[in-house]
Amino acid sequence: MTVDEQAWSRVLVLHARIEQELGKALHRRHGLGLSEYRALGKLATSPKGELRMQELAEAIGLNQSSVSRMCARLEDAGLTVRDLCEDDRRGVYSVITDAGRKRHAETEPTYGDVLRTALDKAASDPELATAVSAVRGA
């Protein structure tokens, strides 16, 4: 294995560990999946609190089908609503609700705390310390 392949492997291990910790904590403490948390965050910080479904998919790294299912779950929970684009009836927006903003704000401290703790833990692993330093130095 080349040096680059070894470094990339460590990054992937670090990513998987962190994502797993974040996902478990958000679900356990707030009943929210990691992608749902990220979607609410992107919507909350967008200028009008809305994004086209395709834009949301690109922003959180999911495909269109996965985002549609995720948005349906968020709608069922009252955290978002769908809205048709007035200019292009084929365009569909996901719009964050006040309840969605509140839920995202409630989950932010958990996300930050778990991320920090998981990175601290990974930094103590000699195999991952360099990758953690790179992430924190970026």
Side-chain angles (χ1 to χ4, degrees):
M1 190 179 289
T2 68
V3 173
D4 285 344
E5 289 170 335
Q6 290 173 349
W8 183 244
S9 178
R10 287 190 293 273
V11 168
L12 292 176
V13 168
L14 176 63
H15 179 266
R17 286 186 189 177
I18 301 295
E19 293 281 283
Q20 184 178 37
E21 290 297 317
L22 289 168
K24 284 191 310 188
L26 290 172
H27 183 66
R28 184 175 54 245
R29 297 180 195 174
H30 303 283
L32 204 60
L34 187 52
S35 293
E36 293 163 338
Y37 168 81
R38 289 183 175 143
L40 289 176
K42 293 295 182 183
L43 292 169
T45 58
S46 69
K48 294 182 180 180
E50 66 184 24
L51 290 171
R52 278 184 173 236
M53 297 292 261
Q54 184 59 39
E55 292 171 325
L56 185 58
E58 291 170 10
I60 62 174
L62 294 177
N63 63 42
Q64 185 79 30
S65 177
S66 295
V67 166
S68 292
R69 288 190 304 275
M70 178 195 62
C71 285
R73 291 190 304 273
L74 290 171
E75 287 175 52
D76 289 345
L79 304 176
T80 64
V81 293
R82 287 183 201 227
D83 193 20
L84 292 177
C85 177
E86 291 182 19
D87 300 334
D88 177 4
R89 288 293 184 193
R90 295 171 298 166
V92 178
Y93 287 91
S94 182
V95 184
I96 193 166
T97 63
D98 289 340
R101 287 183 189 281
K102 182 179 181 210
R103 176 72 69 83
H104 185 261
E106 292 169 351
T107 60
E108 277 185 306
T110 298
Y111 185 92
D113 291 345
V114 171
L115 177 59
R116 189 172 27 266
T117 301
L119 285 169
D120 288 346
K121 182 178 176 184
S124 68
D125 181 338
E127 289 290 317
L128 299 177
T130 302
V132 172
S133 292
V135 167
R136 285 186 159 159

